[in-house]
């Protein structure tokens, strides 16, 4: 598609911005969503990246899990799972719509 845009007279930056970026946007969004979900509750990073006075959510969850399993911990974990699943389903829906739109544009 880049070559087609170039053969129609588009400059490299314009071809990249109008052809490549829309083509890879769903993949970039999925990658960003996966990176966010993978690092959202990463305890190891939270333990090493925060100072002794900072109490981040993963660190609090880890600390309370070592002591006792409380209802608050279960509620937060459930909310995190629902949030991650909802973001994943939203991205899947957006990708499906994008594919349908591209297929209908290709047919006409």
């Amino acid at each position: 598609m880049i070559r087609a845009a170039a053969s129609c007279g588009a400059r490299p930056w314009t071809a990249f911005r109008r052809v490549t970026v829309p083509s890879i946007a769903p993949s970039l969004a999925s990658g960003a969503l996966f990176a966010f979900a993978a690092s959202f509750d990463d305890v190891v990073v939270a333990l090493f990246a925060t100072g002794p006075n900072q109490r981040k959510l993963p660190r609090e969850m880890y600390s309370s899990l070592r002591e006792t399993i409380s209802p608050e911990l279960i509620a937060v974990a459930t909310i995190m799972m629902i949030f991650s699943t909802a973001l994943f389903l939203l991205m899947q829906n957006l990708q499906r719509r994008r594919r349908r739109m591209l297929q209908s544009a290709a047919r006409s």
Side-chain angles (χ1 to χ4, degrees):
M1 293 198 295
I2 295 287
R3 289 183 183 174
S7 69
C8 290
R11 294 179 184 225
W13 175 249
T14 304
F16 176 76
R17 186 171 43 93
R18 293 191 177 180
V19 177
T20 304
V21 171
S23 297
I24 64 172
S27 300
L28 289 174
S30 295
L33 177 64
F34 180 74
F36 172 75
S39 67
F40 185 65
D41 59 344
D42 193 9
V43 176
V44 175
V45 173
L47 290 174
F48 287 113
T50 59
N53 297 331
Q54 296 174 333
R55 301 300 293 182
K56 302 290 183 188
L57 179 63
R59 190 171 183 172
E60 283 293 320
M61 289 177 68
Y62 182 72
S63 296
S64 66
L65 184 63
R66 288 179 50 195
E67 297 164 5
T68 60
I69 297 178
S70 65
E72 292 89 8
L73 177 65
I74 296 170
V76 170
T78 303
I79 290 170
M80 288 172 54
M81 287 178 57
I82 290 171
F83 181 70
S84 298
T85 304
L87 282 177
F88 175 74
L89 292 174
L90 175 68
M91 286 305 304
Q92 290 296 321
N93 191 12
L94 291 174
Q95 285 182 349
R96 191 176 308 121
R97 284 185 187 178
R98 175 85 175 157
R99 276 190 227 118
R100 286 181 191 160
M101 186 174 62
L102 289 174
Q103 287 174 354
S104 65
R107 289 180 191 156
S108 35

